[in-house]
Amino acid sequence: MVEIENHTSELVTLGDHLREIQDYLHIDAKRCEIGELETLASAVDFWNDNERALTISKKIADLRTEVSEFDEAIRILEDACVANELALSDEDEQMAAEVVVAIDDLMRHIESLELSSWFDGEFDGGDAIVTINPGQGGLEAQDWADMLFRMYLYYAQRKSWKVNVLDAPPAEGIGIDHATFIVSGHNAYGMLRAEQGVHRLVRISPTDVKQRRQTTFAGVEVLPVLPDDIEVKINENDVRIDVFHSSGAGGQSVNTSDSAVRLTHMPTGIVVTCQNERSQLQNKDVAFKILTAKLYELEKQKRAAEIDELRGERHEASWGNQIRNYVLYPYQMVKDLRSGVETGNVDAVLNGDIDAFVIGYHRWRVANG
Protein backbone atom coordinates (compact mmCIF):
# COMPACT_ATOMS: atom_id res chain seq x y z
CA MET A 1 0.00 0.00 0.00
CA VAL A 2 1.21 3.50 -0.85
CA GLU A 3 2.14 5.62 2.15
CA ILE A 4 -0.30 8.51 2.60
CA GLU A 5 1.44 11.89 2.76
CA ASN A 6 0.54 14.09 5.72
CA HIS A 7 -0.22 17.68 4.58
CA THR A 8 -1.17 19.00 8.02
CA SER A 9 1.85 21.28 8.41
CA GLU A 10 1.40 22.72 4.90
CA LEU A 11 -2.30 23.38 5.53
CA VAL A 12 -1.56 25.11 8.84
CA THR A 13 0.93 27.38 7.09
CA LEU A 14 -1.59 28.21 4.36
CA GLY A 15 -4.22 28.91 7.03
CA ASP A 16 -1.86 31.32 8.80
CA HIS A 17 -1.19 33.02 5.46
CA LEU A 18 -4.92 33.44 4.84
CA ARG A 19 -5.38 35.05 8.25
CA GLU A 20 -2.62 37.52 7.39
CA ILE A 21 -4.38 38.25 4.10
CA GLN A 22 -7.65 38.76 5.99
CA ASP A 23 -5.95 41.46 8.07
CA TYR A 24 -4.10 43.40 5.38
CA LEU A 25 -7.00 43.26 2.93
CA HIS A 26 -9.36 44.43 5.71
CA ILE A 27 -11.87 41.72 4.82
CA ASP A 28 -14.04 42.28 7.92
CA ALA A 29 -14.19 46.03 7.26
CA LYS A 30 -15.18 45.33 3.66
CA ARG A 31 -18.03 43.09 4.83
CA CYS A 32 -19.33 46.02 6.90
CA GLU A 33 -18.92 48.39 3.95
CA ILE A 34 -20.93 46.04 1.72
CA GLY A 35 -23.76 46.08 4.28
CA GLU A 36 -23.72 49.89 4.48
CA LEU A 37 -23.73 50.28 0.71
CA GLU A 38 -26.49 47.70 0.28
CA THR A 39 -28.59 49.71 2.73
CA LEU A 40 -28.09 52.78 0.55
CA ALA A 41 -28.93 50.75 -2.57
CA SER A 42 -32.22 49.57 -1.03
CA ALA A 43 -33.55 53.12 -0.66
CA VAL A 44 -36.60 53.85 -2.83
CA ASP A 45 -34.94 56.92 -4.38
CA PHE A 46 -31.60 55.18 -5.01
CA TRP A 47 -31.85 55.32 -8.81
CA ASN A 48 -32.97 58.96 -8.91
CA ASP A 49 -29.28 59.88 -9.26
CA ASN A 50 -28.24 57.40 -11.94
CA GLU A 51 -24.48 58.15 -11.92
CA ARG A 52 -24.25 57.87 -8.13
CA ALA A 53 -26.27 54.66 -8.19
CA LEU A 54 -24.01 53.09 -10.83
CA THR A 55 -20.90 54.08 -8.83
CA ILE A 56 -22.26 52.52 -5.64
CA SER A 57 -23.42 49.39 -7.47
CA LYS A 58 -19.97 48.92 -8.99
CA LYS A 59 -18.35 49.41 -5.58
CA ILE A 60 -20.62 46.74 -4.08
CA ALA A 61 -19.79 44.33 -6.90
CA ASP A 62 -16.02 44.90 -6.53
CA LEU A 63 -16.14 44.41 -2.75
CA ARG A 64 -18.24 41.27 -3.12
CA THR A 65 -15.74 39.85 -5.62
CA GLU A 66 -12.84 40.27 -3.20
CA VAL A 67 -14.71 39.03 -0.13
CA SER A 68 -16.17 36.08 -2.06
CA GLU A 69 -12.72 35.02 -3.23
CA PHE A 70 -11.45 35.11 0.35
CA ASP A 71 -14.49 33.09 1.54
CA GLU A 72 -13.90 30.55 -1.23
CA ALA A 73 -10.26 30.19 -0.15
CA ILE A 74 -11.38 29.55 3.44
CA ARG A 75 -13.88 26.93 2.22
CA ILE A 76 -11.20 25.14 0.19
CA LEU A 77 -8.85 25.19 3.20
CA GLU A 78 -11.50 23.71 5.52
CA ASP A 79 -12.42 21.00 3.01
CA ALA A 80 -8.74 20.18 2.47
CA CYS A 81 -8.17 19.83 6.23
CA VAL A 82 -11.10 17.43 6.56
CA ALA A 83 -9.96 15.44 3.51
CA ASN A 84 -6.41 15.27 4.87
CA GLU A 85 -7.64 13.87 8.19
CA LEU A 86 -9.81 11.27 6.44
CA ALA A 87 -6.99 10.29 4.08
CA LEU A 88 -4.66 9.70 7.02
CA SER A 89 -7.17 7.89 9.25
CA ASP A 90 -8.61 5.68 6.48
CA GLU A 91 -5.41 5.41 4.41
CA ASP A 92 -7.53 6.56 1.46
CA GLU A 93 -5.35 7.22 -1.61
CA GLN A 94 -8.18 8.84 -3.58
CA MET A 95 -8.88 11.27 -0.74
CA ALA A 96 -5.15 12.02 -0.47
CA ALA A 97 -5.09 12.90 -4.18
CA GLU A 98 -8.01 15.29 -3.63
CA VAL A 99 -6.00 17.04 -0.91
CA VAL A 100 -3.17 17.73 -3.36
CA VAL A 101 -5.64 19.17 -5.89
CA ALA A 102 -7.26 21.30 -3.18
CA ILE A 103 -3.88 22.69 -2.05
CA ASP A 104 -3.04 23.69 -5.64
CA ASP A 105 -6.43 25.39 -5.96
CA LEU A 106 -5.96 27.12 -2.62
CA MET A 107 -2.56 28.48 -3.63
CA ARG A 108 -4.09 29.95 -6.82
CA HIS A 109 -6.71 31.74 -4.74
CA ILE A 110 -4.06 33.04 -2.34
CA GLU A 111 -1.99 34.33 -5.26
CA SER A 112 -5.05 36.15 -6.62
CA LEU A 113 -5.78 37.68 -3.20
CA GLU A 114 -2.16 38.78 -2.85
CA LEU A 115 -2.39 40.36 -6.28
CA SER A 116 -5.39 42.41 -5.11
CA SER A 117 -3.34 43.67 -2.17
CA TRP A 118 -0.80 45.21 -4.56
CA PHE A 119 -3.44 47.47 -6.10
CA ASP A 120 -3.69 50.12 -3.43
CA GLY A 121 -3.32 53.13 -5.72
CA GLU A 122 -6.07 55.72 -5.88
CA PHE A 123 -7.50 54.41 -9.15
CA ASP A 124 -6.15 50.84 -9.28
CA GLY A 125 -9.47 49.16 -8.60
CA GLY A 126 -11.26 51.00 -11.39
CA ASP A 127 -11.55 50.99 -15.15
CA ALA A 128 -8.80 51.76 -17.67
CA ILE A 129 -8.52 53.78 -20.86
CA VAL A 130 -6.09 52.03 -23.21
CA THR A 131 -4.63 53.68 -26.32
CA ILE A 132 -2.40 51.89 -28.86
CA ASN A 133 -0.37 53.81 -31.44
CA PRO A 134 1.93 52.44 -34.15
CA GLY A 135 5.60 53.43 -33.73
CA GLN A 136 8.57 52.98 -36.02
CA GLY A 137 8.05 50.52 -38.84
CA GLY A 138 5.54 52.06 -41.24
CA LEU A 139 2.87 49.66 -42.50
CA GLU A 140 4.32 46.89 -40.35
CA ALA A 141 3.82 49.01 -37.22
CA GLN A 142 0.17 49.55 -38.15
CA ASP A 143 -0.28 45.79 -38.40
CA TRP A 144 1.55 45.30 -35.08
CA ALA A 145 -0.76 47.84 -33.40
CA ASP A 146 -3.72 45.80 -34.67
CA MET A 147 -2.17 42.58 -33.30
CA LEU A 148 -1.74 44.18 -29.86
CA PHE A 149 -5.28 45.53 -30.01
CA ARG A 150 -6.65 42.02 -30.58
CA MET A 151 -4.34 40.61 -27.87
CA TYR A 152 -5.86 42.94 -25.28
CA LEU A 153 -9.41 42.20 -26.43
CA TYR A 154 -8.70 38.48 -25.96
CA TYR A 155 -7.12 39.16 -22.55
CA ALA A 156 -10.15 41.15 -21.39
CA GLN A 157 -12.38 38.29 -22.52
CA ARG A 158 -10.32 35.85 -20.43
CA LYS A 159 -10.72 38.12 -17.39
CA SER A 160 -14.48 38.58 -18.01
CA TRP A 161 -13.92 42.30 -18.35
CA LYS A 162 -16.16 44.50 -20.47
CA VAL A 163 -14.55 46.40 -23.38
CA ASN A 164 -15.97 49.50 -25.05
CA VAL A 165 -14.05 50.26 -28.24
CA LEU A 166 -14.19 54.01 -28.78
CA ASP A 167 -12.03 54.41 -31.85
CA ALA A 168 -10.06 51.95 -33.97
CA PRO A 169 -9.97 53.25 -37.55
CA PRO A 170 -8.29 51.08 -40.18
CA ALA A 171 -5.02 52.41 -41.53
CA GLU A 172 -4.16 52.71 -45.18
CA GLY A 173 -2.84 49.39 -46.43
CA ILE A 174 -2.93 47.12 -43.38
CA GLY A 175 -3.55 47.32 -39.64
CA ILE A 176 -5.04 50.21 -37.69
CA ASP A 177 -4.22 53.89 -37.42
CA HIS A 178 -4.65 53.69 -33.64
CA ALA A 179 -7.04 52.22 -31.07
CA THR A 180 -8.69 53.66 -27.98
CA PHE A 181 -10.89 51.56 -25.73
CA ILE A 182 -12.17 51.44 -22.16
CA VAL A 183 -11.74 48.25 -20.13
CA SER A 184 -14.18 47.83 -17.24
CA GLY A 185 -13.66 45.27 -14.51
CA HIS A 186 -12.26 44.64 -11.05
CA ASN A 187 -8.68 46.05 -10.83
CA ALA A 188 -8.64 46.65 -14.60
CA TYR A 189 -6.49 49.77 -14.35
CA GLY A 190 -4.22 48.27 -11.71
CA MET A 191 -3.61 45.17 -13.82
CA LEU A 192 -3.22 46.90 -17.17
CA ARG A 193 -0.68 49.41 -15.86
CA ALA A 194 1.77 46.58 -16.56
CA GLU A 195 1.26 47.13 -20.30
CA GLN A 196 2.19 50.82 -20.34
CA GLY A 197 5.16 51.37 -22.65
CA VAL A 198 6.75 50.36 -25.95
CA HIS A 199 6.23 46.85 -27.39
CA ARG A 200 8.73 45.52 -29.98
CA LEU A 201 7.97 42.86 -32.60
CA VAL A 202 10.51 40.91 -34.65
CA ARG A 203 9.22 38.73 -37.52
CA ILE A 204 9.39 37.99 -41.23
CA SER A 205 7.63 40.86 -42.96
CA PRO A 206 4.23 39.80 -44.34
CA THR A 207 4.44 42.58 -46.97
CA ASP A 208 8.03 42.08 -48.15
CA VAL A 209 8.31 39.86 -51.26
CA LYS A 210 11.91 39.09 -50.26
CA GLN A 211 10.70 37.74 -46.89
CA ARG A 212 13.18 39.77 -44.86
CA ARG A 213 13.15 40.09 -41.09
CA GLN A 214 11.44 43.25 -39.84
CA THR A 215 11.46 45.00 -36.47
CA THR A 216 8.47 47.17 -35.59
CA PHE A 217 7.19 49.05 -32.56
CA ALA A 218 3.92 50.16 -31.00
CA GLY A 219 3.23 52.27 -27.93
CA VAL A 220 0.60 51.43 -25.30
CA GLU A 221 -0.80 54.12 -22.99
CA VAL A 222 -2.93 53.19 -19.97
CA LEU A 223 -4.91 55.80 -18.03
CA PRO A 224 -7.52 55.48 -15.28
CA VAL A 225 -11.14 56.36 -15.83
CA LEU A 226 -11.46 59.16 -13.29
CA PRO A 227 -14.24 58.97 -10.68
CA ASP A 228 -16.93 61.65 -10.84
CA ASP A 229 -15.60 63.33 -7.69
CA ILE A 230 -12.28 64.15 -9.39
CA GLU A 231 -12.59 67.64 -10.83
CA VAL A 232 -10.53 68.83 -13.76
CA LYS A 233 -11.44 72.29 -15.01
CA ILE A 234 -11.54 72.52 -18.79
CA ASN A 235 -12.17 75.83 -20.49
CA GLU A 236 -14.46 74.89 -23.36
CA ASN A 237 -13.07 77.84 -25.33
CA ASP A 238 -9.75 75.94 -25.36
CA VAL A 239 -11.33 72.89 -27.00
CA ARG A 240 -12.03 72.69 -30.73
CA ILE A 241 -14.83 70.23 -31.50
CA ASP A 242 -14.98 68.64 -34.95
CA VAL A 243 -17.62 66.17 -36.13
CA PHE A 244 -17.25 63.77 -39.03
CA HIS A 245 -18.62 60.56 -40.54
CA SER A 246 -17.82 57.51 -38.44
CA SER A 247 -15.92 54.60 -39.92
CA GLY A 248 -16.66 52.35 -36.97
CA ALA A 249 -19.29 49.69 -36.34
CA GLY A 250 -21.28 51.60 -33.76
CA GLY A 251 -24.70 50.95 -35.24
CA GLN A 252 -26.61 51.68 -38.40
CA SER A 253 -27.09 55.39 -37.66
CA VAL A 254 -23.37 55.88 -37.06
CA ASN A 255 -22.50 55.52 -40.71
CA THR A 256 -25.31 57.74 -42.01
CA SER A 257 -24.69 60.89 -39.94
CA ASP A 258 -21.83 63.01 -38.64
CA SER A 259 -21.77 61.28 -35.26
CA ALA A 260 -18.00 60.91 -34.72
CA VAL A 261 -16.32 63.55 -32.56
CA ARG A 262 -12.75 64.84 -32.45
CA LEU A 263 -11.63 67.09 -29.57
CA THR A 264 -8.48 69.18 -29.85
CA HIS A 265 -7.25 70.80 -26.64
CA MET A 266 -5.42 73.73 -28.16
CA PRO A 267 -3.19 74.73 -25.19
CA THR A 268 -1.66 71.23 -24.95
CA GLY A 269 -2.21 69.83 -28.45
CA ILE A 270 -3.97 66.74 -27.04
CA VAL A 271 -6.34 65.19 -29.58
CA VAL A 272 -9.09 62.71 -28.66
CA THR A 273 -11.48 61.00 -31.04
CA CYS A 274 -14.50 58.84 -30.37
CA GLN A 275 -16.76 57.38 -33.04
CA ASN A 276 -18.17 54.07 -31.86
CA GLU A 277 -21.06 55.34 -29.76
CA ARG A 278 -24.48 55.62 -31.41
CA SER A 279 -24.90 59.37 -31.21
CA GLN A 280 -22.80 62.49 -31.51
CA LEU A 281 -23.73 63.46 -27.93
CA GLN A 282 -22.54 60.11 -26.55
CA ASN A 283 -19.28 60.33 -28.51
CA LYS A 284 -18.74 63.87 -27.22
CA ASP A 285 -19.34 62.83 -23.59
CA VAL A 286 -16.91 59.91 -23.81
CA ALA A 287 -14.29 62.01 -25.62
CA PHE A 288 -14.43 64.64 -22.87
CA LYS A 289 -14.01 61.87 -20.27
CA ILE A 290 -10.81 60.74 -21.99
CA LEU A 291 -9.58 64.32 -22.41
CA THR A 292 -10.18 64.89 -18.69
CA ALA A 293 -8.07 61.84 -17.81
CA LYS A 294 -5.24 62.99 -20.09
CA LEU A 295 -5.25 66.53 -18.66
CA TYR A 296 -5.36 65.19 -15.11
CA GLU A 297 -2.30 63.08 -15.78
CA LEU A 298 -0.52 65.96 -17.48
CA GLU A 299 -1.12 68.17 -14.45
CA LYS A 300 0.24 65.48 -12.13
CA GLN A 301 3.35 65.21 -14.28
CA LYS A 302 3.91 68.95 -14.03
CA ARG A 303 3.67 68.86 -10.24
CA ALA A 304 5.71 65.70 -9.74
CA ALA A 305 9.50 65.66 -9.76
CA GLU A 306 9.68 61.88 -10.05
CA ILE A 307 8.22 59.54 -12.66
CA ASP A 308 4.48 59.95 -12.84
CA GLU A 309 2.81 57.23 -10.77
CA LEU A 310 -0.08 56.79 -13.15
CA ARG A 311 1.65 56.19 -16.44
CA GLY A 312 5.37 56.04 -15.84
CA GLU A 313 8.07 57.54 -17.97
CA ARG A 314 7.04 58.12 -21.57
CA HIS A 315 9.26 56.92 -24.40
CA GLU A 316 9.19 57.15 -28.16
CA ALA A 317 8.00 53.88 -29.68
CA SER A 318 11.36 52.99 -31.19
CA TRP A 319 14.70 51.22 -30.62
CA GLY A 320 16.01 50.96 -27.08
CA ASN A 321 12.79 51.99 -25.34
CA GLN A 322 10.78 48.77 -25.33
CA ILE A 323 9.38 47.10 -22.22
CA ARG A 324 8.75 43.77 -23.95
CA ASN A 325 10.06 41.91 -26.98
CA TYR A 326 7.90 39.62 -29.11
CA VAL A 327 10.15 37.52 -31.37
CA LEU A 328 8.50 35.36 -34.05
CA TYR A 329 11.66 34.78 -36.14
CA PRO A 330 14.36 33.32 -36.20
CA TYR A 331 13.11 31.75 -32.93
CA GLN A 332 9.92 32.23 -30.90
CA MET A 333 9.98 34.02 -27.56
CA VAL A 334 8.21 36.78 -25.67
CA LYS A 335 10.29 38.40 -22.92
CA ASP A 336 9.53 41.27 -20.56
CA LEU A 337 12.66 43.35 -20.06
CA ARG A 338 11.59 44.57 -16.61
CA SER A 339 10.50 41.40 -14.80
CA GLY A 340 12.46 38.90 -16.90
CA VAL A 341 9.33 36.78 -17.46
CA GLU A 342 9.54 34.94 -20.78
CA THR A 343 7.83 32.18 -22.75
CA GLY A 344 8.27 30.41 -26.07
CA ASN A 345 4.52 30.08 -26.61
CA VAL A 346 4.11 33.23 -28.70
CA ASP A 347 0.75 32.16 -30.15
CA ALA A 348 -0.79 31.85 -26.68
CA VAL A 349 0.45 35.34 -25.75
CA LEU A 350 -0.95 36.94 -28.89
CA ASN A 351 -4.24 35.18 -28.12
CA GLY A 352 -4.46 36.99 -24.79
CA ASP A 353 -2.62 34.68 -22.41
CA ILE A 354 -0.58 37.48 -20.78
CA ASP A 355 -1.35 36.98 -17.07
CA ALA A 356 2.20 35.73 -16.43
CA PHE A 357 3.58 39.02 -17.79
CA VAL A 358 1.06 41.20 -15.96
CA ILE A 359 1.56 39.43 -12.62
CA GLY A 360 5.32 39.21 -13.20
CA TYR A 361 5.52 42.95 -13.74
CA HIS A 362 3.64 43.70 -10.52
CA ARG A 363 5.81 41.28 -8.53
CA TRP A 364 8.85 43.08 -9.95
CA ARG A 365 7.32 46.48 -9.18
CA VAL A 366 6.52 45.59 -5.56
CA ALA A 367 9.96 44.01 -5.03
CA ASN A 368 11.68 47.10 -6.41
CA GLY A 369 9.64 49.58 -4.45
Side-chain angles (χ1 to χ4, degrees):
M1 180 174 289
V2 177
E3 183 178 353
I4 303 299
E5 185 176 357
N6 187 347
H7 293 279
T8 301
S9 177
E10 186 177 4
L11 290 168
V12 168
T13 299
L14 290 172
D16 290 342
H17 197 174
L18 270 177
R19 280 184 283 276
E20 291 174 1
I21 289 174
Q22 182 176 12
D23 289 339
Y24 66 66
L25 285 184
H26 308 292
I27 295 296
D28 292 337
K30 287 174 180 175
R31 291 190 201 278
C32 293
E33 188 176 359
I34 290 171
E36 293 167 359
L37 292 174
E38 286 178 336
T39 299
L40 289 176
S42 65
V44 293
D45 60 347
F46 177 67
W47 287 100
N48 289 354
D49 185 341
N50 192 60
E51 287 191 7
R52 175 176 174 271
L54 288 172
T55 299
I56 291 174
S57 297
K58 183 179 184 303
K59 181 68 172 176
I60 292 172
D62 288 345
L63 288 169
R64 280 178 178 166
T65 296
E66 198 166 305
V67 171
S68 295
E69 183 155 29
F70 175 80
D71 289 343
E72 177 66 8
I74 290 293
R75 184 195 65 77
I76 294 170
L77 174 65
E78 291 173 347
D79 288 351
C81 288
V82 172
N84 184 59
E85 290 176 6
L86 291 173
L88 293 171
S89 62
D90 298 345
E91 296 185 341
D92 188 328
E93 294 179 26
Q94 183 176 350
M95 191 68 71
E98 290 180 10
V99 175
V100 174
V101 172
I103 288 174
D104 288 342
D105 193 18
L106 179 58
M107 291 180 73
R108 282 193 294 272
H109 277 75
I110 287 175
E111 181 180 71
S112 179
L113 287 165
E114 286 180 332
L115 190 62
S116 293
S117 75
W118 298 342
F119 301 138
D120 55 2
E122 186 177 4
F123 308 119
D124 281 352
D127 302 339
I129 302 167
V130 182
T131 301
I132 304 171
N133 286 299
Q136 287 186 353
L139 292 176
E140 302 286 346
Q142 294 170 180
D143 189 43
W144 175 220
D146 191 24
M147 292 168 66
L148 283 174
F149 177 43
R150 284 182 278 116
M151 181 183 80
Y152 291 128
L153 294 183
Y154 291 138
Y155 181 58
Q157 188 176 36
R158 286 170 177 263
K159 306 296 288 186
S160 298
W161 289 339
K162 178 184 175 184
V163 175
N164 182 17
V165 179
L166 306 176
D167 197 22
E172 292 186 17
I174 59 174
I176 57 174
D177 184 72
H178 62 271
T180 301
F181 52 100
I182 293 178
V183 182
S184 302
H186 184 55
N187 289 332
Y189 173 65
M191 294 281 281
L192 288 171
R193 279 195 296 141
E195 300 304 295
Q196 167 74 40
V198 178
H199 297 246
R200 172 177 174 252
L201 173 69
V202 181
R203 62 173 172 172
I204 293 294
S205 169
T207 62
D208 187 348
V209 294
K210 295 184 178 180
Q211 295 287 286
R212 287 173 292 194
R213 187 171 63 182
Q214 177 83 15
T215 298
T216 50
F217 301 86
V220 177
E221 175 188 74
V222 183
L223 295 170
V225 175
L226 297 177
D228 293 333
D229 58 356
I230 298 291
E231 292 187 10
V232 177
K233 293 182 179 179
I234 300 177
N235 185 342
E236 293 199 9
N237 293 326
D238 290 338
V239 181
R240 187 176 73 241
I241 304 175
D242 300 308
V243 296
F244 56 97
H245 282 294
S246 172
S247 60
Q252 197 170 22
S253 64
V254 167
N255 295 316
T256 59
S257 63
D258 289 332
S259 60
V261 173
R262 178 186 298 110
L263 305 182
T264 304
H265 188 251
M266 292 178 285
T268 61
I270 293 173
V271 178
V272 175
T273 59
C274 182
Q275 61 175 312
N276 274 24
E277 300 297 334
R278 288 186 173 272
S279 73
Q280 184 184 125
L281 182 60
Q282 288 175 311
N283 280 322
K284 182 181 175 182
D285 287 345
V286 174
F288 264 104
K289 180 178 290 189
I290 297 172
L291 178 61
T292 299
K294 287 179 178 286
L295 290 175
Y296 180 85
E297 183 211 15
L298 186 63
E299 188 60 32
K300 289 202 72 169
Q301 287 181 338
K302 288 178 180 178
R303 291 198 297 254
E306 68 277 4
I307 294 174
D308 183 83
E309 66 182 7
L310 293 180
R311 177 163 65 178
E313 188 176 358
R314 295 187 67 181
H315 290 296
E316 182 183 353
S318 60
W319 282 101
N321 295 326
Q322 66 267 19
I323 61 165
R324 192 177 302 150
N325 289 326
Y326 304 71
V327 182
L328 277 63
Y329 180 87
Y331 53 89
Q332 293 209 332
M333 182 184 72
V334 180
K335 182 173 183 177
D336 194 287
L337 302 183
R338 302 158 302 177
S339 65
V341 172
E342 63 179 76
T343 179
N345 194 346
V346 176
D347 288 340
V349 171
L350 294 177
N351 282 310
D353 187 7
I354 61 171
D355 250 342
F357 293 97
V358 172
I359 294 171
Y361 164 77
H362 285 292
R363 285 193 189 282
W364 169 83
R365 177 180 62 83
V366 171
N368 289 275

